[in-house]
Amino acid sequence: MQREVDTVEFAKAIADETRQQIMKHLCCVWLTVGEVVEKLDGRVNQPTVSHHLKKLEDVGLVHVRQEGRQRFYTLNQRRVTFCCGKLIRSFAPDYRDEYGV
Amino acid sequence: MQREVDTVEFAKAIADETRQQIMKHLCCVWLTVGEVVEKLDGRVNQPTVSHHLKKLEDVGLVHVRQEGRQRFYTLNQRRVTFCCGKLIRSFAPDYRDEYGV
DNA sequence: TTGACATATCGACAGCGGTCGATATAATAA
DNA sequence: TTATTATATCGACCGCTGTCGATATGTCAA
């Protein structure tokens, strides 16, 4: 069962270039915080990445798994579709059937 | 043909409570700026509403039509679905077929 | 042309949020 | 225990943006 979605919170969560890059890197793969930092290639440092991951986690956009002293993150694709579905239901009702949301 | 979509810009555009309220009011109906102000019931004033409408217009989320000295706005539902489609393609590829985006 | 009305633009202010360096916390290894 | 590694948290800074009042622009009527 999905937690209730606030479309404003969802939009705020993804309304940042760095966070969307992180989401791309976490799509279909589990990465540690350190690996995400590497992927971003020096654009931001570790505390900043942790900060962004927390924001994504707060709105349920990532899954987290602890293993030893590392934390693995991956994108919650289901939640993305769920939130996008709510956006379409809210702001594109004429297209609702077309997308089955 | 749709203008190219930057998912970050789209997210920023809808990442505001007031703007989402405006979008709701403009869904399936044409309203003047003054009517939008009324719908928001004193929460914000006319210049602020104009400011938000411009932001929405800049990313193609509203259609505008001038008539006399009034400007009518309505939500561009097609663009909403288009942007949400791109979000799903980018961040939920495993669900892409399911939603036909 | 003048006046009234509808909307857009401007300048200023304040709060939010992205970023950083420094440090705390937590887990493992020696 | 102590040291090391991985991540989270803290405090500060700064740019961005939502909001406002004032004013400009533009359109119509008289």
Side-chain angles (χ1 to χ4, degrees), chain A residues 28-40:
Chain A
C28 310
V29 53
W30 290 85
L31 294 182
T32 66
V33 177
E35 287 170 329
V36 174
V37 175
E38 283 176 18
K39 295 274 187 190
L40 294 179

Side-chain angles (χ1 to χ4, degrees), chain B residues 16 18-19 45 47-48 51-52 55 68:
Chain B
D16 179 80
T18 303
R19 274 197 296 277
N45 63 9
T48 298
H51 165 76
H52 286 308
K55 290 224 161 189

Side-chain angles (χ1 to χ4, degrees), chain B residues 1 20 38 48 51 60 63 69 74 94 96 98:
Chain B
M1 187 54 189
Q20 286 204 11
E38 282 177 16
T48 298
H51 165 76
H63 293 297
R69 44 190 157 188
T74 195
D94 293 348
R96 181 173 177 174
E98 189 171 319

